[in-house]
Amino acid sequence: MKIFDTTLRDGEQSPGATMNVGEKVRIAQQLEKLNVDIIEGGFPISSEGDFEAVRTIAKTIKHCEVAGLARANSQDIDRAWEAVKDAAHPMIHTFISTSDIHLKYQIRKTREEVIKIATQSVARAKGHTPNVEFSAMDATRSDVDFLIAVFEAAIRAGATTINVPDTVGYTIPSEFGELIRTLRQRIRGIEKVTVSVHCHNDLGLAVANSLAAVQNGARQVECTINGIGERAGNASMEELVMAIHTRKDFFPLGTRVNPKHIFTTSRLVSKITGMAVQPNKAIVGANAFAHESGIHQDGVLKEKLTYEIMTPQTVGIPKSSLVLGKLSGRHAFRDRLKDLGYQLSDQDLELAFKRFKQLADKKREIYDEDIESIVVEEVLRVPHRFKLLYLNVVAGNVTVPTATVQMEVDGKQALEAGFGDGPVDATFKTIKKLTRTKSKLVQFAINAITGGTEAQGEVTVRLEEKGSTVIGQGADTDVIVASAKAYINALNKMEFKKRKLVGM
Ligand code: KIV
Ligand code: ZN
């Protein structure tokens, strides 16, 4: 069974989850460690940033195939090839819609035209690489005879994988399983290619639908870490992998994924995208292995098998993550980073170590979660246009909250002061003035990264501008500083997003 990870492409289409090049490369490295088969790095024609991200991933990753997405036209396909051509195992993934709804209202093409375009596009991609995936967008709402004709044309043109997306999350397991079985019985040449599925979660059925497809002969599933993705998201990789792993009686083929890296990968994706994992999320949620009821606790204490179908250790949930303190040196810090999967250059290590020392001055015990925040904020995050240099806030119940903020805006230093209804409001208003931005704050949340009153506060903000959403995160022992960092992170993401040329 092949695992095709699309966290960096479809996952990035989650409202707010824009990632920069460094962030994407870091996730790709973690996916390689997890041992997925294919990493879809992005949609290269969509922006310079995405092109650069896919190109860097292609050059960095050695043990997984690296795919670039392309609509079914030569410009997209050539751009995708430019981005993936240096990969050890490159793949071009091209797609066109096949449902009558999409043909009539969106792409305005006849069925004959779609078959012709699919043939030409796969042939064009095939001219670049033998490894070509073809997707029939909105397959589950397409006429089956037409779907078969399109897939046959794609196979004749050289596609090596045919992908059946449930683009709008409409199908249900028995129906989808039946569709896969029919396609396998009726498509001429199907034995030469890999049958893949790509399910969205609009009805909460993405994982169930993917598993039904596997039981009916699909041999590749497309999925994302934490199930992030367009609208309600994609099939969640950790749920799929652990279902296949835990129920070998139903899924004897297994996957190559090493489940020990699942938890770290989930945390990394959550930190970088700013998308929190719900506590009751299967496999990686904070409560996934917590037994609350007395009866359950009693059972687990006597024998884990009573209420546990897998152990937290299988997915890499650490027992305790207390690691470093004020006296820890550079060596111990580097070793811990290595254990967490981060191999930093000397320059980046110096940056992160400096911040670690500052944090250790304020906080006695430094946990893995603190170290992850440092790496994400100091190393992975490219500050683009806006950078916080200085923040001083006066607040309390006998004063008007006032913020003085110094920032770097497009490389130039600027200073401003402002009032607000509270210290966070004063800070945000002043940052808004300094950056001359128009985004609207639609969500603000604070969480403690670890336990205790000296824990770092982690702030998440969601901004909206002209229908476009971004999420920003910031961490600090001072929650006002954490709020400023989160707000500026979101503003930088918004600027990055504005440079995207085409959406999906
Ligand atoms: O959901 C979808 O149809 C897609 C395709 C591009 C595979 O993401
Ligand atoms: Zn999709």
Side-chain angles (χ1 to χ4, degrees):
M1 277 285 320
K2 283 188 180 179
I3 297 291
F4 177 115
D5 182 276
T6 183
T7 307
L8 300 174
R9 198 277 297 170
D10 220 330
E12 201 198 14
Q13 288 172 223
S14 303
T18 316
M19 293 173 249
N20 67 38
V21 178
E23 291 167 341
K24 279 193 158 195
V25 173
R26 174 65 200 116
I27 291 178
Q29 286 170 325
Q30 184 63 29
L31 291 170
E32 184 173 44
K33 205 164 161 192
L34 193 60
N35 218 16
V36 304
D37 297 276
I38 301 147
I39 298 172
E40 186 164 52
F43 183 21
I45 201 148
S46 69
S47 69
E48 279 304 318
D50 225 29
F51 174 81
E52 209 40 55
V54 180
R55 207 160 73 113
T56 316
I57 291 168
K59 287 181 179 164
T60 312
I61 299 300
K62 296 287 168 256
H63 305 294
C64 312
E65 294 170 42
V66 175
L69 184 70
R71 289 168 298 190
N73 66 60
S74 40
Q75 240 191 334
D76 275 38
I77 290 167
D78 295 352
R79 192 74 176 146
W81 175 243
E82 266 307 297
V84 298
K85 69 177 186 206
D86 292 328
H89 313 283
M91 174 193 259
I92 297 176
H93 175 195
T94 186
F95 71 98
I96 189 164
S97 291
T98 51
S99 69
D100 287 338
I101 302 174
H102 281 211
L103 262 61
K104 181 170 174 197
Y105 298 107
Q106 193 182 14
I107 63 173
R108 305 214 164 104
K109 301 263 182 260
T110 63
R111 289 185 174 188
E112 291 67 35
E113 283 170 324
V114 167
I115 291 187
K116 200 167 152 204
I117 294 168
T119 306
Q120 285 168 346
S121 306
V122 172
R124 178 120 195 158
K126 200 73 185 173
H128 293 308
T129 170
N131 194 9
V132 177
E133 171 168 318
F134 171 78
S135 288
M137 196 180 217
D138 206 15
T140 50
R141 292 192 302 167
S142 303
D143 173 72
V144 177
D145 291 333
F146 177 55
L147 190 59
I148 289 169
V150 178
F151 279 140
E152 282 183 348
I155 293 171
R156 275 198 305 274
T160 40
T161 300
I162 56 156
N163 183 36
V164 189
D166 181 28
T167 304
V168 291
Y170 177 71
T171 196
I172 61 166
S174 55
E175 179 188 51
F176 196 49
E178 189 56 42
L179 174 65
I180 300 302
R181 190 202 301 259
T182 305
L183 295 178
R184 287 188 58 240
Q185 278 165 356
R186 291 187 48 201
I187 293 175
R188 271 167 296 182
I190 193 117
E191 65 292 341
K192 292 187 287 195
V193 303
T194 303
V195 178
S196 170
V197 292
H198 174 112
C199 296
H200 279 270
N201 207 28
D202 299 65
L203 295 174
L205 293 171
V207 170
N209 287 333
S210 306
L211 292 175
V214 172
Q215 288 185 298
N216 283 281
R219 290 295 171 258
Q220 174 174 300
V221 279
E222 303 197 352
C223 48
T224 59
I225 300 295
N226 299 337
I228 64 170
E230 189 79 35
R231 305 181 309 281
N234 289 61
S236 136
M237 136 110 66
E238 57 279 6
E239 291 175 26
L240 275 169
V241 166
M242 288 317 289
I244 292 171
H245 185 88
T246 309
R247 297 307 305 268
K248 294 190 180 80
D249 44 342
F250 278 90
F251 306 102
L253 287 177
T255 72
R256 291 195 325 155
V257 167
N258 182 349
K260 274 210 158 31
H261 298 300
I262 284 181
F263 186 68
T264 318
T265 314
S266 158
R267 278 253 297 276
L268 182 74
V269 169
S270 169
K271 280 231 167 295
I272 286 180
T273 58
M275 296 186 67
V277 173
Q278 78 205 51
N280 59 326
K281 167 84 176 61
I283 319 293
V284 290
N287 297 347
F289 295 90
H291 300 279
E292 182 72 11
S293 110
I295 297 175
H296 287 213
Q297 286 175 356
D298 173 62
V300 169
L301 285 173
K302 286 174 177 151
E303 167 54 59
K304 283 198 165 60
L305 268 178
T306 49
Y307 292 95
E308 249 179 36
I309 58 165
M310 58 197 151
T311 64
Q313 290 76 38
T314 320
V315 293
I317 296 180
K319 275 212 172 88
S320 154
S321 64
L322 169 60
V323 281
L324 302 174
K326 198 176 163 148
L327 299 176
S328 308
R330 211 177 252 94
H331 207 74
F333 182 66
R334 193 186 23 224
D335 282 355
R336 193 60 208 162
L337 280 174
K338 225 166 137 191
D339 287 348
L340 290 171
Y342 298 103
Q343 245 147 350
L344 305 187
S345 67
D346 288 348
Q347 199 187 354
D348 288 344
L349 180 75
E350 231 14 75
L351 253 172
F353 186 66
K354 208 168 127 202
R355 173 94 169 83
F356 161 73
K357 279 292 183 190
Q358 285 166 355
L359 185 63
D361 273 341
K362 295 185 195 158
K363 194 172 180 287
R364 255 178 317 124
E365 295 163 332
I366 308 286
Y367 294 80
D368 286 348
E369 292 89 327
D370 295 315
I371 295 181
E372 278 171 352
S373 285
I374 290 176
V375 176
V376 170
E377 286 193 354
E378 298 298 319
V379 180
L380 296 182
R381 225 169 252 173
V382 180
H384 305 292
R385 293 190 58 199
F386 313 126
K387 192 174 166 191
L388 179 69
L389 299 175
Y390 167 93
L391 170 67
N392 182 46
V393 178
V394 184
N397 60 356
V398 289
T399 181
V400 179
T402 312
T404 308
V405 185
Q406 190 177 30
M407 288 182 70
E408 207 175 276
V409 178
D410 294 328
K412 290 199 187 104
Q413 292 195 3
L415 180 73
E416 189 65 77
F419 307 117
D421 288 337
V424 174
D425 188 48
T427 304
F428 285 9
K429 278 184 177 148
T430 312
I431 292 174
K432 205 166 175 177
K433 249 195 279 177
L434 272 169
T435 55
R436 297 168 203 265
T437 47
K438 299 210 166 20
S439 304
K440 196 171 139 209
L441 178 72
V442 287
Q443 200 188 330
F444 174 84
I446 305 183
N447 255 315
I449 293 191
T450 54
T453 48
E454 58 169 31
Q456 289 202 88
E458 185 176 65
V459 174
T460 305
V461 300
R462 190 181 280 264
L463 301 183
E464 211 177 83
E465 192 174 327
K466 292 187 184 148
S468 187
T469 312
V470 291
I471 301 171
Q473 268 196 347
D476 201 277
T477 46
D478 181 325
V479 292
I480 311 298
V481 176
S483 305
K485 283 182 179 176
Y487 191 61
I488 291 168
N489 174 230
L491 289 177
N492 277 320
K493 283 189 170 181
M494 188 62 91
E495 293 299 308
F496 182 72
K497 206 169 173 185
K498 280 182 195 163
R499 293 202 294 270
K500 290 226 168 212
L501 303 176
V502 269
M504 278 268 306

